[in-house]
């Protein structure tokens, strides 16, 4: 166990965690809503520091990040715990149930990254479960990873308070933030969270200059209504029309047994969002075309298929055909 950052003693041995917007008040011997922060004798400790439940080298496209070193791979690590309770969680075995993992301290993660160093392997992604509730581990390891010249990535629900987010952003190169829907009701009823802090986390990360892509899992009948898709896309477009948005197909999982999202719903969402955003992709849909085209002249910039990624239309960050700059990091 490691003592948590961002908490305060509010009375006797009662503490309040300030890491995420739940702001749990936690009595001695109890844990917060994420189950991985526990009050022990009036001090708050993290239970998942240095605990790994999943470790792989993944294509960067799997995070998904499509405009950040396309075709590269990334050492991907995850722990257990989450500050949401999404009924459709695709990783519930580690986010909602697991209570222990394999030990891998920050210095061991750094050694591992060095061992796998290659031209294609660009760094470390904190992913699989929720990295917000792994904050201390990321704070300890990400600066060391960056010192080696590697990139760091967070794949997160973005449900974090502004102060801790701002403190960690200098050590994070790219984020894929789940924007699970656009209504407060959806976040409250389905995820036991709130949308406003997530929107603020997206704004803060963009304003800081991090590379940001967004994923929205479309659940039939719950968050795929055209007006909701439009509102979500407009919010992102107000920040930057070039933010890549990934609509992902839902499949029955954990507590949800609704049928999978109809393909037509995903295609309709792409059409609607595409009126506002330059890059909209479809995930969990093997037959979908997810090539990238120049928003200025329509030339093919990046071709993606099962076997890989190539960039026939790019010369650095410039479209070969029209010579305009595009926001793709190579
Ligand atoms: S990080 Fe965990 S303990 Fe802290 S406020 Fe969020 S849910 Fe509660």
């Amino acid at each position: 166990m490691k003592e948590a950052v961002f908490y305060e003693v509010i009375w006797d041995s009662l503490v309040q965690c300030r890491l995420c917007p739940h702001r749990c008040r936690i009595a001695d011997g109890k844990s917060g809503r994420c189950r991985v922060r526990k009050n022990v004798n009036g001090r708050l400790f993290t239970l998942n520091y240095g605990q790994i439940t999943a470790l792989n080298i993944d294509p960067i496209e799997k995070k998904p990040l499509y405009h950040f070193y396309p075709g590269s791979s990334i050492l991907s690590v995850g722990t257990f715990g989450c500050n949401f309770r999404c009924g459709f969680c695709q990783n519930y075995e580690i986010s909602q149930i697991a209570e222990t993992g394999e030990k891998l301290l920050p210095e061991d993660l750094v050694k591992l990254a060095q061992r796998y160093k290659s031209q294609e392997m660009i760094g470390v992604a904190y992913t699989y479960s929720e990295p917000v509730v792994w904050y201390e581990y990321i704070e300890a390891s990400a600066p060391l990873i960056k010192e080696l010249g590697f990139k760091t990535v967070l794949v997160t629900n973005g449900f974090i308070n502004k102060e801790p987010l701002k403190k960690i952003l200098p050590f994070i190169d790219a984020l894929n933030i789940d924007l699970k829907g656009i209504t407060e009701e959806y976040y409250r009823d389905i995820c036991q969270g709130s949308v406003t802090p997530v929107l603020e986390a997206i704004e803060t990360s963009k304003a800081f200059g991090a590379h940001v892509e967004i994923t929205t899992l479309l659940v039939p009948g719950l968050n795929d209504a055209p007006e909701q898709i439009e509102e979500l896309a407009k919010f992102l477009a107000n920040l930057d029309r070039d933010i890549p948005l990934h609509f992902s197909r839902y499949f029955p999982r954990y507590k949800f047994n609704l049928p999978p999202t109809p393909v037509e719903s995903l295609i309709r969402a792409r059409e609607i969002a595409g009126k506002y955003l330059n890059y909209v992709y479809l995930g969990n849909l093997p037959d979908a075309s997810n090539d990238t085209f120049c928003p200025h002249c329509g030339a093919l910039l990046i071709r993606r298929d099962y076997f890989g990624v190539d960039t026939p239309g790019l010369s650095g960050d410039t479209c070969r055909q029209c010579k305009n700059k595009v926001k793709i990091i190579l």
Side-chain angles (χ1 to χ4, degrees), residues 6 17-26 31-37 44 82-83 132-133 159:
F6 293 105
C17 178
R18 292 190 290 110
L19 180 57
C20 93
H22 286 315
R23 295 182 185 274
C24 301
R25 290 176 170 218
I26 309 169
S31 300
R33 289 170 75 157
C34 57
R35 303 192 190 107
V36 292
R37 288 167 182 268
L44 192 64
C82 186
N83 48 356
V132 165
V133 299
F159 197 65

Side-chain angles (χ1 to χ4, degrees), residues 192-203:
Q192 296 184 26
S194 167
V195 70
T196 306
V198 179
L199 300 178
E200 288 172 356
I202 294 169
E203 288 169 340

